[in-house]
Amino acid sequence: MVAGARRSRAAGAVALLLAVCTATLADALTLDAVADTTVALVAAACAGLAVGLTSTPSATAAAGALGAGLLTAANQVGRPGADSVPSDVVFYLLLLGGPAVVGALVAARGRQLAELRRLAREVEEQRDAGADAARLEQQSAVAAAVQHGVIQTMGAIVVQADGARRTADPADVRRALDAIERSARRALDELRAQVGTLREPAAVAEAAPSGGGDLPRRPRPELGPTDLLAALAGVPLAVEATLGDAARGPAWANVVAAVAVGAPLVLRRRHPAASAAAVLALAAAMSAVLTPVPATVTSLLPLLLASYAVGAHARRRRGRVTGLGVLALGVPLLSAVSPASGRDLDGLVPTLLWCLAAVGAGTAVAGRSARVARHRRLVDELEAGRDAAARLAAAQERHALARDLHDSVAAAMTVVCLHAVGARRLLEPPDVDAALATIAATARHGLAELRASLDVLDGPPEAPTADRVGDLDTVVEGARRAGVRVDLMVAGELPDHCRTLAARIVREALVNAARHAPGAHVTVTIAGSPDGVAVEVSDTGATETAPATTGTGTGLQGLAERLAAVGGRLEAGPLEPRGFVVRATMPTAVLPA
């Protein structure tokens, strides 16, 4: 749709230009000198500007050439013999081509600015992604280091539990249980600290504005083919000065003088103001002695090239102002030194305006060159940071794995603590043996989970890691062995990934109930439907003999993040008058979190 609208505007602008030129020719065929009126010239220049703003370079060139041909024919018909055909062609090409070039430069500037803004946004996003990836990678490395230490702790717990089961001395059993509890609590403290670090918000990189700032000072350009071509701008003037109606003096002298007028343009890029001054000075000398330059049309070519160079190649604003001053003084001086018959006072103001437009076009091109340089720098930055998004995705996967491992291991260590405390209070052989067996089994399960997952955490993840939480019934049975009174009700069908996530939610809620509301009765309700799965875990609150404690909430926060990632939701809060409830919902048509 946008491309179609752009083509429509371009076609309309070309049609307008051709209509103006055709109407001018038609009027010239019926009226006298209409092609030279101000209205016709202004309309043609405006149409050329519109074509440059909307059309492609090839379409602009074709329309400009055709329009110049129509206007030349109109002037030749309306004012037969007043101007030569080459003079008319050059004049009308400048009349239409100048505004068209300005329009094309303005349009190009708009497109480049839009592209620069887009690239700048991408660079800033890449910088933020790189900063986030570096932070997450560092956190994952720390998490891995902590978990390697936890592996040793859990291995020691397994050894201590198995050793205590083989001894008959109650004192040895008590010491083993004390050591197991201390080890589990120490591991919990380390894990909680690390979970807090993992859940810190991402630090946004303080990046400098992309593509902004001043560009390095441009080196002086070396002379090239375009400079030599520009120096030949006096050749058309030489032809007109020897063959035109205003020719005066020896032909050879006019040729030498005209070529000399264009010669300073070879240095127009290195010394734009000085080059313009030399062109005007040599033109003034030629006008005073030989053919008056203001009476020629082709003299506009070297003059406009010099003016363009002032805008495009002046290094500072002061240099551009100096060049404008040279033009503002030199053009009237050129007319003043010419003989009265060769002065074109009516064309003085238009010539100054053309020079000003050429300076403006050069300034626009200089800005375009600066934007192109910034464009290249942005592209280089994008190329250098093209892997930032991939790094961030990999780091987020490792970060999520580290977080889940912390939560799962924290739950295992809590179970170990609860069984160690309970067994130490009872010290009855059957109960102690069951508690030690649970401690050993829990520690072994945690060890297996850690060792299997650290292979992924220590290196780049190549595939999603399977969830190792365990079955829902296993989670509930483990809580019951730890002394938690649990009622489980499941209704409806649960997809595998929903069952795994529900087991994780239930495990966290049961661990919290055992830790913070000992003695409470817990009810677990899970309902599955085609639209989603709802999980509710509520407890009756701590008993008076075992008051409640307050937790950090990091486990529930991790579950909330996990559910949000798959389109689910988790809410948790106190019940009235006592107790606590965790409610979660998740859609069924999702991939595992």
Side-chain angles (χ1 to χ4, degrees), residues 24 33-41 75 79 83 91-92:
T24 303
V34 172
D36 198 34
T37 61
T38 302
V39 174
L41 295 180
N75 197 48
R79 299 174 59 191
D83 299 295
F91 176 77
Y92 289 119

Side-chain angles (χ1 to χ4, degrees), residues 177 414-424 434-435 438-439 442 478 481-483:
L177 291 172
T414 300
V415 171
V416 168
C417 284
L418 291 173
H419 280 278
V421 171
R424 191 178 60 201
T438 301
I439 289 171
T442 303
R481 288 200 304 269

